Amino acid sequence: MRIAFAASEGVPFSKTGGLADVVGALPKALAASGHEVQVLLPRYRMTKPGRTLPESKSLTLPLASGFRFAAIQDGGEADGVHTYLVDCPDFFDREGLYQTSGQDYPDNALRFAAFSLACLEFLKRSATPPDIIHCHDWQTALVPIYLRNLYTGDGFFEKTSVLFTIHNLGYQGHFPPHILPRIGLHVGLFTVDGLEFYGKVNLLKGGIIFSDFITTVSRKYAEEIQTPEFGCGLQGVLSARSDRLQGIVNGVDYGPWDPSTDKLIAANYSPEDLKGKETCKKALLENMGVAQPALDRPVIGIVSRFARQKGFDLIAEIAEELMAMDLYIGALGTGEPEYEELFRSLAAKYPDKFLVKVAYDNTLAHQIEAGADMFLMPSRYEPCGLNQIYSMKYGTVPVVRATGGLDDTVEPFDGKKGTGFKFSEYAPAALLATIQQAIEVYRQPKAWRQLMHNGMRKDFSWPSSAKQYVKIYQTLHKDKAKAKAAAEAANP
Ligand code: ADP
Ligand code: GLC
């Protein structure tokens, strides 16, 4: 099949979080199973420029605020996947992807409208239409919205279906109603059954309504988002489409995330030979500013966007009890100023034990995965989560809240089987008790080694999840063929 991915970030071109890891890896797994896959991404300042394609690939984008022009750059082919970069410097040649200094760019609706239109216009210039356009999150929700409203009379996309993947329901793309004509949409779409959401335009809602199928990134999260607690106001819209909604847990690409080959860590190691892990632990603690590391103390690692979603307010509430224990916390992250401040203040208060770097630093992220003993994700909600999966591969035991993908991927350790520790209630006492339980097992070397091995032997690589996506693509493809045959029979 011909599959086009439209996304706002993807490694190695751009990244703020796990979406980029998925968009970097899933297409490769699809290409490996014989599909033709192209990936369309914006060309940001952080993206290395590609080769600008000849003039014919320059696109005119009719937005009411005026015509915009985008050039398509060739991002090259790797592992059978061709990447194209939408170059529109006014919108994307900026410091951040979505925001700067914690504030969203005020023209985000226009930016991603331009990107979505550019994707459709670029695809239209190919000789053959895609069978599937696979969109991700609110930034590309306008692709199905445009396709089903502006391109309905366009025979080119007649056989094209849209699969929309929700990576995080917490980000929906809310804009004032007057944005509709500015992004080329009719105000008639501003209804309860359309894009209206509590007096605002909600682009994610449009993505859910106008796509042929919706997935999210774990089985548990697919259930959770149909409830008021996790649905962020869209639970009704999602439930109404539950026959076309499925959870598929993310895979991971072990290429860059394997302790036996990782070039960013102090020493390599494997389940058969764990010696290198102690070298990594020592190097990590020294690197994070501990002059004489006590290697018998457990290190709890954190690598995260600092956002409300991630549950760090729980740590603040148990900081005193935690710091009275014999352990280190090594945290890396960046994001909302409130949480950056929280981590900075904990580091200032407990300088010998609470080690923090407020930054985006891929090398240190790998070093924490390798050097820590445990990995903490007390998320309020977590659509999938990738770090707990990377952690298992690195023999770094996940301590997580049982929500979304964290619940689907971490099995509680029972002394023999299991890969980590989890708690259910979003409460400081529950987190504290779970960390205490983990440390108790840490003090029993044989049991701990068993636990590390269990995690290291798990396989979360992409092929099995990619197969589930292919099944959906095939169903959509068949549905389209059936609909076409029915239409032809009705109008011979
Ligand atoms: P989310 O997408 O919600 O941020 P995930 O666990 O799915 O959470 O993915 C996070 C990804 O981003 C991981 O690859 C992680 O290593 C990376 N990451 C997050 N914060 C940082 C940071 N400060 N520095 C380096 N990498 C980071
Ligand atoms: C989102 C989610 C995260 C998920 C990632 C990739 O950013 O917050 O849980 O792993 O997308 O799907």
Side-chain angles (χ1 to χ4, degrees):
M1 268 188 289
R2 284 172 56 79
I3 303 154
F5 270 57
S8 58
E9 56 182 271
V11 291
F13 300 94
S14 45
K15 169 164 173 175
T16 65
L19 168 63
D21 293 20
V22 173
V23 171
L26 172 58
K28 287 197 227 164
L30 294 168
S33 56
H35 301 285
E36 192 185 321
V37 196
Q38 45 182 328
V39 176
L40 310 178
L41 298 170
R43 211 283 276 181
Y44 299 102
R45 188 172 297 170
M46 71 150 66
T47 312
K48 253 206 312 210
R51 191 174 56 88
T52 300
L53 290 169
E55 203 46 34
S56 66
K57 300 282 186 193
S58 156
L59 310 170
T60 304
L61 312 171
L63 291 166
S65 51
F67 282 107
R68 298 285 180 152
F69 302 94
I72 299 292
Q73 294 186 354
D74 185 354
E77 194 178 313
D79 301 305
V81 178
H82 209 130
T83 302
Y84 294 97
L85 305 166
V86 173
D87 188 28
C88 192
D90 283 0
F91 284 146
F92 298 115
D93 186 11
R94 299 188 187 176
E95 191 201 338
L97 268 53
Y98 315 120
Q99 49 172 239
T100 184
S101 317
Q103 292 295 315
D104 284 351
Y105 291 121
D107 58 351
N108 270 349
L110 277 181
R111 297 173 75 221
F112 291 101
F115 175 66
S116 302
L117 269 182
C119 289
L120 288 167
E121 286 300 309
F122 172 65
L123 291 170
K124 248 188 98 165
R125 302 219 178 166
S126 321
T128 344
D131 296 302
I132 304 288
I133 308 180
H134 190 158
C135 299
H136 303 264
D137 282 350
W138 75 262
Q139 293 90 342
T140 51
L142 278 163
V143 171
I145 299 174
Y146 286 145
L147 200 60
R148 302 296 171 227
N149 291 282
L150 303 187
Y151 287 76
T152 38
D154 193 321
F156 185 79
F157 289 114
E158 203 180 11
K159 285 198 263 168
T160 303
S161 303
V162 179
L163 171 62
F164 187 74
T165 298
I166 299 171
H167 294 261
N168 195 331
L169 203 59
Y171 302 84
Q172 302 184 351
H174 293 167
F175 299 99
H178 66 72
I179 203 73
L180 282 179
R182 298 192 66 212
I183 57 175
L185 290 172
H186 195 272
V187 288
L189 278 171
F190 194 67
T191 64
V192 190
D193 300 324
L195 307 189
E196 192 273 340
F197 183 77
Y198 297 99
K200 294 221 162 119
V201 165
N202 183 329
L203 294 183
L204 188 78
K205 182 182 174 198
I208 296 167
I209 293 172
F210 290 112
S211 296
D212 298 287
F213 205 99
I214 304 119
T215 62
T216 186
V217 289
S218 66
R219 187 196 48 75
K220 177 95 183 255
Y221 193 58
E223 284 168 14
E224 288 174 338
I225 56 177
Q226 297 181 60
T227 67
E229 188 186 350
F230 294 94
C232 304
L234 288 176
Q235 60 275 13
V237 181
L238 287 159
S239 303
R241 297 223 61 196
S242 60
D243 60 328
R244 300 250 115 188
L245 169 64
Q246 188 180 322
I248 301 177
V249 72
N250 285 332
V252 296
D253 181 358
Y254 289 121
W257 294 102
D258 180 345
S260 66
T261 51
D262 191 335
K263 293 202 171 41
L264 302 173
I265 60 180
N268 291 119
Y269 58 91
S270 64
E272 294 73 40
D273 180 5
L274 285 168
K275 270 202 308 292
K277 186 154 176 75
E278 179 132 321
T279 313
C280 291
K281 178 169 176 174
K282 185 161 181 277
L284 170 68
L285 289 168
E286 285 171 353
N287 188 5
M288 293 198 86
V290 184
Q292 283 182 324
L295 294 180
D296 56 339
R297 275 192 202 167
V299 176
I300 300 181
I302 293 172
V303 178
S304 186
R305 286 184 297 113
F306 286 163
R308 194 180 124 80
Q309 168 195 350
K310 301 293 177 178
F312 296 124
D313 44 341
L314 291 184
I315 298 184
E317 297 199 43
I318 57 165
E320 215 164 291
E321 287 97 325
L322 266 185
M323 291 294 108
M325 289 155 71
D326 209 17
L327 49 73
Y328 296 107
I329 291 189
L332 165 68
T334 168
E336 292 167 24
E338 178 189 343
Y339 296 101
E340 291 191 352
E341 193 38 49
L342 168 68
F343 274 93
R344 280 204 184 97
S345 68
L346 287 170
K349 196 161 170 198
Y350 307 103
D352 304 330
K353 286 185 164 181
F354 208 102
L355 320 166
V356 171
K357 181 165 179 189
V358 176
Y360 186 90
D361 181 340
N362 184 48
T363 302
L364 185 58
H366 283 249
Q367 290 167 350
I368 291 179
E369 289 289 4
D373 297 291
M374 300 167 198
F375 196 91
L376 185 60
M377 291 178 79
S379 304
R380 214 178 266 277
Y381 73 93
E382 194 63 70
C384 179
L386 297 175
N387 278 311
Q388 81 281 13
I389 305 180
Y390 299 144
S391 299
M392 287 186 245
K393 187 74 178 172
Y394 283 75
T396 302
V397 174
V399 176
V400 304
R401 172 140 187 270
T403 181
L406 296 174
D407 200 25
D408 282 2
T409 56
V410 178
E411 299 150 45
F413 185 59
D414 65 3
K416 247 183 156 173
K417 289 202 300 284
T419 51
F421 301 90
K422 26 186 196 182
F423 62 101
S424 295
E425 195 193 349
Y426 190 81
L431 170 61
L432 185 62
T434 310
I435 294 177
Q436 281 163 338
Q437 188 196 350
I439 289 176
E440 234 165 74
V441 180
Y442 177 80
R443 296 283 166 224
Q444 305 163 40
K446 211 170 145 220
W448 192 258
R449 192 164 285 250
Q450 172 77 48
L451 174 54
M452 287 169 74
H453 275 216
N454 292 351
M456 292 178 93
R457 285 208 198 88
K458 283 271 162 200
D459 180 7
F460 288 95
S461 55
W462 267 105
S464 84
S465 297
K467 255 191 222 149
Q468 298 181 57
Y469 280 108
V470 171
K471 235 172 149 183
I472 298 175
Y473 298 155
Q474 282 165 341
T475 308
L476 295 177
H477 192 53
K478 275 189 216 140
D479 287 354
K480 277 274 179 251
K482 264 194 238 154
K484 190 159 183 255
E488 279 168 4
N491 297 303

